[in-house]
Amino acid sequence: MEKHTDVICPFCGTLCDDIEVHVEKGRVMEALNACKLGNAKFMSMNKKHRHLVPMVREGDGFVETTIEDAVERVARMLLDAKRPLLYGWATTECEAQSVGIELAEEVGGVVDSCASVCHGPSVLAIQDVGFPSVTLGEVKNRADLDIYWGSNPMHAHPRHMSRYSRYPRGYFRERGQQDRTVIVIDVRRTDTAGIADKFLQVSPGDDYELVNAFRTLLNDGDIPDEVAGVAKKDIEGALELMKTCQFGMLFFGVGLTMSPGKHRNIDNAISLVIDLNKYTKFSLMPMRGHYNVTGFSEVLTWQSGFPFGVDYTRGYPQYNPGETTSVELLSRGEVDAVFVVGSDPAANFPKKAVEHLAKIPSAVIEPHETPTTYLCDLKIPSAIAGIEVAGTAYRMDNVPIRVRKIMDPPAGLYSDREILKMILEKVREIKNGA
Ligand code: SF4
């Protein structure tokens, strides 16, 4: 049996780096230290529903094809389309993302990631008002107050609190939990709220008003007896904890980015953190979901100047979220082919967007069967980045981490990066009249 230590978990944006994986005869036997979600990802290596050959839709079903044929079909689909959408990218490594962006530019398409349906508003707000940045290591060693707003790490990032906020001992937090206070702000009493020291239940859609209430009190104003469903005394109590802590941290999730106000909520939250820095050290961080959604924004910014929703149809990058982002493009029927890599839009996009996706030519690179693989016309299986392929991923605090290869993929499977390179070469070959 092979024992691999200090393996990175390629599931959520926490990118835990202490997993011990036991592999025997090409099967994962155990993934020690991983949470339930991470464990499921490592164990998915062994699952029967993993597809192993490219399949193309024929009639009501799929038939097997070769990788060469699949590559040519994707290349021709992208070239035949007037405005193809290349979407996903959050669950693959940066090196593959880089080739995918080059491909989007070559075919004159739109390239967008899952950020446009999760933390895109955070990115917009950061561009508006800046961002006091900090690493998770600093949070672990210094933070004595952690706030989770619109985020439920007990379910979405299960080891986040044990590694960085609620429980760990840090350099300046030697007593661990006893040295730390946790506040949860959410529309319902989540499991994370259950282990917090203070819980504020905000009325759905009223997050902006609650941020404003904190800022008003902080800047010597007054507020009514209740704001956004929270009593004034509870707002004052939470604010006192914020002002008097030594190092405060605001972690925010899609409960804040996707509730009414969207990026204005984050603008306001960043402004609150800036206000709090008049009293103490305070910072904030988005709770990024997929393990390398942060990396895609980095790579796209290096290559195009913009972090998500980039349209190359005019031959140069254009960026206008709401106009050049996937859900809107699909819902309005403004793209005529879709190529999905490392994502499952059919499972989480609005109905209208998925209906259009089902009508137009489509292809997907994906290791497992998903709702999207059932909808698409062509599915290409790939090796799993971070387990069967090494590469770079960015943790939620923008720290790049090298994810490792710990086992070989099943015979005949290529990495996302290799498949994308083959498609890019084929596109260039066809354009050159070969
Ligand atoms: S918290 Fe996230 S990165 Fe850590 S083991 Fe769980 S799923 Fe993997």
Side-chain angles (χ1 to χ4, degrees), residues 152-164:
N152 186 10
M154 286 281 281
H155 289 266
H157 305 78
R159 297 185 70 213
H160 194 270
M161 298 180 95
S162 60
R163 282 174 65 83
Y164 301 114

Side-chain angles (χ1 to χ4, degrees), residues 55-183:
M55 308 276 275
V56 61
R57 186 178 294 283
E58 207 175 272
D60 290 337
F62 285 91
V63 293
E64 289 184 13
T65 187
T66 61
I67 185 72
E68 292 79 14
D69 178 59
V71 163
E72 178 148 3
R73 283 173 187 265
V74 178
R76 291 196 183 279
M77 177 192 84
L78 294 173
L79 284 171
D80 288 347
K82 282 199 178 106
R83 198 187 200 192
L85 170 66
L86 293 86
Y87 174 79
W89 313 106
T91 59
T92 191
E93 20 97 36
C94 293
E95 292 81 352
Q97 294 168 346
S98 174
V99 183
I101 296 161
E102 205 179 335
L103 177 64
E105 187 170 5
E106 191 70 46
V107 298
V110 180
V111 61
D112 191 22
S113 78
C114 313
S116 73
V117 288
C118 60
H119 276 282
S122 311
V123 177
L124 292 179
I126 291 164
Q127 289 172 334
D128 278 353
V129 287
F131 182 52
S133 142
V134 67
T135 67
L136 285 171
E138 285 176 273
V139 176
K140 176 190 168 186
N141 285 314
R142 296 174 186 277
D144 57 340
L145 175 67
D146 293 286
I147 303 170
Y148 288 96
W149 195 322
S151 165
N152 186 10
M154 286 281 281
H155 289 266
H157 305 78
R159 297 185 70 213
H160 194 270
M161 298 180 95
S162 60
R163 282 174 65 83
Y164 301 114
S165 64
R166 168 87 277 187
Y167 302 110
R169 291 196 169 92
Y171 192 82
F172 297 105
R173 303 290 159 232
E174 288 175 352
R175 297 183 307 153
Q177 183 174 359
Q178 292 171 55
D179 282 344
R180 300 175 190 272
T181 302
V182 172
I183 300 175

Side-chain angles (χ1 to χ4, degrees), residues 4 19 27 37 51 72 80 98 100 113 128 132 144 148 151 212 230 235 273 300-301 311 375 385-386 391 430:
H4 301 270
I19 313 298
R27 288 177 68 82
L37 301 178
H51 56 118
E72 178 148 3
D80 288 347
S98 174
S113 78
D128 278 353
D144 57 340
Y148 288 96
S151 165
N212 261 357
V230 184
I235 298 173
V273 164
L300 186 58
T301 305
D311 186 352
L375 274 190
I430 296 170

Side-chain angles (χ1 to χ4, degrees), residues 380-399:
I380 307 177
S382 62
I384 296 178
I387 299 177
E388 295 166 341
V389 180
T392 309
Y394 277 70
R395 206 168 59 183
M396 63 169 69
D397 54 355
N398 283 308
V399 172

Side-chain angles (χ1 to χ4, degrees), residues 214-226:
F214 282 126
R215 292 189 65 202
T216 304
L217 289 174
L218 206 51
N219 290 293
D220 301 327
D222 198 11
I223 59 171
D225 290 342
E226 186 185 299

